[in-house]
Each structure stands twice: as structure tokens, then as C-alpha cells.
Amino acid sequence: MAKPQLKHDPTEVRLLNIARPDAAAWTGPARDAAVKRVQEMRLPARRDEYWKYTRPDTLVDYQAPAAALFHNDEGRLFDGIDRLTIVFVDGVFDAERSDDLEMAGVRIDRLAEPADIHWAAETYGSLEAAGHYVPRALAALNTAFASDGVLIHVTGKTERPINLVYEHASETSDAMLHHVVKLDAGAEVTLLENGPAAARLNMVMEVDVADGAAFHHVRAQGRDHERRAVTHIFARLGTESVFKSFTLTVNGRLTRNECVVDLTGDNAVAHVAGACVGDGDFHHDDTVFVTHDAVDCESRQVFKKVLRNGAVGVFQGKILVKEGAQKTDGYQISQSLLLDDDSQFLAKPELEIYADDVACSHGSTSGAIDETALFYLRSRGVSRDEATDLLTLAFLAEAVDEIEAEALRADMLARLENWLKRRR
Amino acid sequence: MLEIKNLHASLEEEDKAILKGVDLTVEAGKVHAIMGPNGSGKSTLSYVLSGKDGYEVTDGTATLEGEDILDMEPEERAAAGLFLAFQYPVEIPGVGNMTFLRTAVNAQRKARGEEEMSATEFLKVVRARARTLNIDAEMLKRPVNVGFSGGEKKRNEILQMAMLEPKMCILDETDSGLDVDAMKLVADGVNALRAEGRGFLVITHYQRLLDHIKPDVVHIMADGRIVKSGGPELALEVENNGYADILAEVA
Ligand SMILES: Nc1ncnc2c1ncn2[C@@H]1O[C@H](COP(=O)(O)OP(=O)(O)O)[C@@H](O)[C@H]1O
Ligand SMILES: [Mg+2]
């Protein structure tokens, strides 16, 4: 790898120090176009308004900062669920430990395979390219240089969830994964993701949800304390389609999760939710951008953050209602529970509305544990710590409740409960 | 059972004295009632005894079975056998009533070095006790006190008391806001718990509750002190003549 040219700006340095993977020819044009987007938009810098609360430098830098591995004694997540598992270790596909990529109602390919995947050629990079109401150059960088990922074409109702497992094995790994999910009309799939993935992960997922299709997504970003991640989800929703995504973040030095959803067909529903808990050196940023561009659509954003010992939480959420997107029902709530005075929650909720017949509401709160409730519990004999945990879990449960499947909800709550117990 | 001597307490924030020398002893097996005008310090007494933040004890002592409780954390007082039925029970969104009850029962058992109650045993006991208080399965499932009516909240307090089996029960205006039927349920719940080794301190405004829960001793509290004590007839006197006569007499 060439030495960085320090005189150049970070975008040039990064582009000089990254190599295009040995990729299938069909991705070529999309990758070329993405490089151009990066050059035009420039990678994020500290002065950028969109990065006001989160420092992008370690995500942009040509080298990933090292991240110690975390030995997880909790057992694998989703183990109680019958699922198709696909394993990546530091961003590299592990065929041995993955299931056969065969399941009724779906076709799964890998981005790193040379096969010509026609449907993906149309989608790969196109939802990302369409998602730049605000520059998201790290996503374009991903389209240009992603080394692997899965291409999931859902043609029917899949009977089992697909589980992408991301293991972190090297302290210096720098992974770039790009997934494309295309759901045909009426198709349904549940996608599960879990694990820290790498010392640094840059992940993009493009999800094209056709009319009447339903996409359910639950992910848990791994427990490694030092890992960093920037992720982007770009979703396009057709008429009467459903998109529901939930993210659990427990630990991690730096996480920026962007979710860009375009409601382009009437009566579509999009729910984006997240629960995160951080203690100490923890910075977590949820940046959501929902665009209503059709009639009678519903969108919901529900984000909860529990912060302690100087942890920082960020929420930037926008609902854009375009002209003509009448009868829009838009909702957004972001809340933090600060367990001490050192922690910080920074929120920037935004509404931009160009239609007149809409119901949009948003709220953001930041608070400490409810002392009255705490005393009530303690007066019944529950210790201060246990009472605090009960109230904290109750706070987080409102985000976890956004998950439809009971078993998945229970899994997420159990993880949070364990975190609370361990950290005490 | 509960022995309060010369208890003085003020508000931490305002440095305002509320309790100005309370003396009171509740013997095991007895029911004591406290009556008194609004603002006389009855709720403050119950909070200071159960360890709520915001009050400073400036003088005096309070012991439960000879043990100083004022230095204990609220949860330690509970484990030692003290229970307060709140005048305003607290709503806790997101925490199921059943989870709350089981957590409390087991936390106290653990603190006392006893074995935890199994889930099945707990369920059996809670169902039986809930039934006598007319608390249905739905109410047990709902978040603690959220969306409960005034009467439901008070019955829920009595259910907690029944499950925790405390030695010393303080009831702060458990009768306020109850209709006649609910009052009967609550009184029956309390009477069912009356026992040799258990003391009660019933704070109330009305004679009504005391018709159902017959007190052994009635105290009148005014301006942070017990100004008069007597038998059940004292409650009747208050009911008929108000506090003015009594206060004038002791002034
Ligand atoms: N937290 C508080 N802040 C301000 N004033 C208080 C507080 N707690 C009690 N007080 C005051 O103390 C006095 C006694 O109140 P309280 O104990 O509630 O009386 P009671 O229960 O007998 O009606 C009242 O004057 C009340 O306003
Ligand atoms: Mg009162």
C-alpha cells in the first residue's frame, strides 16, 4: 500500500490508498460512477453540518484504528431461531461455516462472485446514488470499493430468516460490505444481522421493496468496545409495501448508522427503530432521513439511548414530505436516559413539509432516572441498582417493542438485560 | 414494634421544619391511627420513616424492633419489615405489575437470606391474594399503576402489602378517593393481615375507614407533632366536631 500523501486532503488520501477489489465485471460501471460521486461530494470532514456531532476522521482515514477483540460468553444471538446463516469474518465470507445459500422463495448470490447478476446490476449503487439529499460520501466510497456482500433476490415468502453473522477476528481489520436486497411484488423476508464485523466496518445495504412486499430487519452490532462502524441503509418502498428495521447497539467506540427511506408508492409503511446502550468511550449516531413521496404513507422513527460515564448519543432525524404526499402520517421520537451528568445526548429532529394534508409529529427528550419511581421500587425492597435496571429496561423496551416478532424482541431484551447486569 | 422519639425533620431544600418532635410507639399486634388537618405532616412522617430523599432528620430516633431505621437505605427498611402504602401510588410505565411484585418479594427474601419464591409458587399466591382484592389477571399484567383508577391503585398497594407480609404497615390515606365498596375491600385486605406480630399505622382523614379497621389508639397530629392521643372515641370526636375544638384545647 502506498504511503499517504499528507499534503492532500483526506478524500484524495483515501482514494489513493484503497484498491478496487477483484470484482465481477457487472459492477464496474456502478463502481466507476461511485468513485466520481466521492470525488464530487468529498468524504465527510469535521466542518460539515451533517457531521456536526460526530467526528468522521477515524471513519474516513485510510487506515482503520485498531480495535481489541471482545470475548463474548453470551452465546450466539438468534440461536433459538431456525434460520439460514451466512458468516463473514472481518468482512471475508466463510463458506465452511455458512449454510448453503439455497432456500425456497429467494436467490442469494455473493457480490464477490464473478457471475453475472442482472437484477443486481440495475440496483447496485443506484439506491445509494439516489439517497444524497445530503451527501453520504462514505456510502459512495462503499459502492466503489466494497469487497463482498450478499445479493438477495426475494421472489416469494421466505420461510426462514436470513442471518448475516459478522465476526471480528483481527484487531486491525477494515471491512467493506455491500448488500443488495430486492423484493418482488408480494414477497417477504426477514433479515437478521449480528456481530461486530471488524475493527472498522463500512456497510451499505440497498433494499428495494416492490409493491405489497414486506422487509423485516433486526440487527445487533456486536459487543466489542473498540470497534467502529459506519452503516447506511437505503430503502425504496413501493405501493402498500412494508419496511421495518430495528438496530440494537451495545458498546462500540464509534457507530454512525444512517437510514435513508423513500416512500415512493401509496400506502407504504416504514418503521425505523433503535436501542443503544453505552458506557464510557462510546459514541453512537443515528441519522435517519425519511422521504414521503406518495399518498397515505406512514413512517415511524423510535430511538432510545441509555448513556453512562461520558457516553455520547446523537440523533439526526428528518421527515421530508414532498409536494403531493397528502395524508402522510409521520412520527418521530428520540429519547435518551442519562445515567450520570457526564453523558450527553445531542438531537436534531427536523420536519420539512410541502403538502398541506399531513399529520407529522416529532419529539426528543433527555432525562435522568425518574426518582419518584426509583423510590417507589426501593420502598418495596428492590435495591437501587436493580430498580435502576428495571426502569432502564422499561425505557429501552419501548424501542424494542417496535419489532414485530416476539422471539426477536425477547432476544434483544435479553441482550440489554445482560448488558445492564454485567456493567454494574 | 415501631418506636419514634422526638423526631424532627425538615425539607432539605428549603430548610423548613415539618416534623417538630413526633413521639409515637406502635406495639406489635396493634392498630394505631393518625388523624390531622391537611399539611400537619402526616405524609412527611411516612416518607421520613420509609427513607425518601429530600428530608433531613435533625433530631430524634426511629426504631423498628429496636433497630435504628433512619440510617438504612429505603430497601433495607423494607427488608427489615417496613411497608408504606402510598397516598399517591406511583405509575411505572414499562414495568409489568407482576414482574414488579415478584422482583420485590424476591429482593426482600434475598436480603433476609431466605430462598427466592419459585415462579409457580409466586403465581399461585399472587392469584389467590389478588382475587380477594378483586384484582383481575388483566390488572396484574398491566404496567404498575398505569391507567389504574384511584381505587385500583389503592387496592394494588394492599396487594403489595399482602405479598410482602411486612411487620409494620403504614397506610397513608389509603381510603381517600375510594367508594364504599372499594373501601370495604381495602379494609378487609388490611384486617386479613392483622396479626400478633404486626403493627399498623393508619393515616386517615375520615372516621369511615376506622369503622372497618378498628384502631386501638388514635392520635391527632397538628403542626408536626402528636398533640393528642386516645381511644377510638377520639376519631368520633373529630368526625363530629372537626379539629378546631381539639386544637384549641391543647393550645
Ligand atoms: N417536598 C416538599 N416540598 C415542599 N413542601 C413540602 C414537601 N413535603 C411536605 N411539604 C410541606 O410540609 C407540610 C406537611 O405536608 P404533608 O406531610 O404532606 O402533610 P399531610 O400529609 O399531613 O397533609 C405542608 O406544609 C407541605 O406543604
Ligand atoms: Mg398527606
Side-chain angles (χ1 to χ4, degrees), chain A residues 145-186:
Chain A
F145 297 103
S147 58
D148 206 348
V150 286
L151 310 168
I152 303 174
H153 186 189
V154 191
T155 51
K157 290 188 176 25
T158 50
E159 71 224 12
R160 289 185 293 156
I162 298 168
N163 183 193
L164 306 177
V165 176
Y166 305 124
E167 292 186 2
H168 174 200
S170 150
E171 292 195 353
T172 55
S173 53
D174 192 12
M176 214 179 261
L177 293 171
H178 192 122
H179 310 304
V180 181
V181 185
K182 181 179 162 71
L183 290 98
D184 287 350

Side-chain angles (χ1 to χ4, degrees), chain B residues 138-149:
Chain B
E138 179 58 28
M139 244 174 91
L140 289 172
K141 262 193 236 148
R142 267 151 53 188
V144 180
N145 293 326
V146 177
F148 286 27
S149 71

Side-chain angles (χ1 to χ4, degrees), chain B residues 43 87 172-173:
Chain B
S43 291
Q87 180 172 2
D172 190 2
E173 293 202 27

Side-chain angles (χ1 to χ4, degrees), chain B residues 172-217:
Chain B
D172 190 2
E173 293 202 27
T174 301
D175 51 338
S176 61
L178 295 187
D179 59 27
V180 180
D181 292 339
M183 167 114 60
K184 181 95 178 33
L185 276 176
V186 164
D188 288 348
V190 172
N191 287 328
L193 284 168
R194 287 180 81 154
E196 284 278 302
R198 185 170 288 140
F200 284 87
L201 189 58
V202 180
I203 299 170
T204 180
H205 264 305
Y206 308 104
Q207 163 64 27
R208 269 201 317 175
L209 182 68
L210 303 180
D211 285 340
H212 298 290
I213 308 172
K214 296 255 176 332
D216 298 293
V217 185

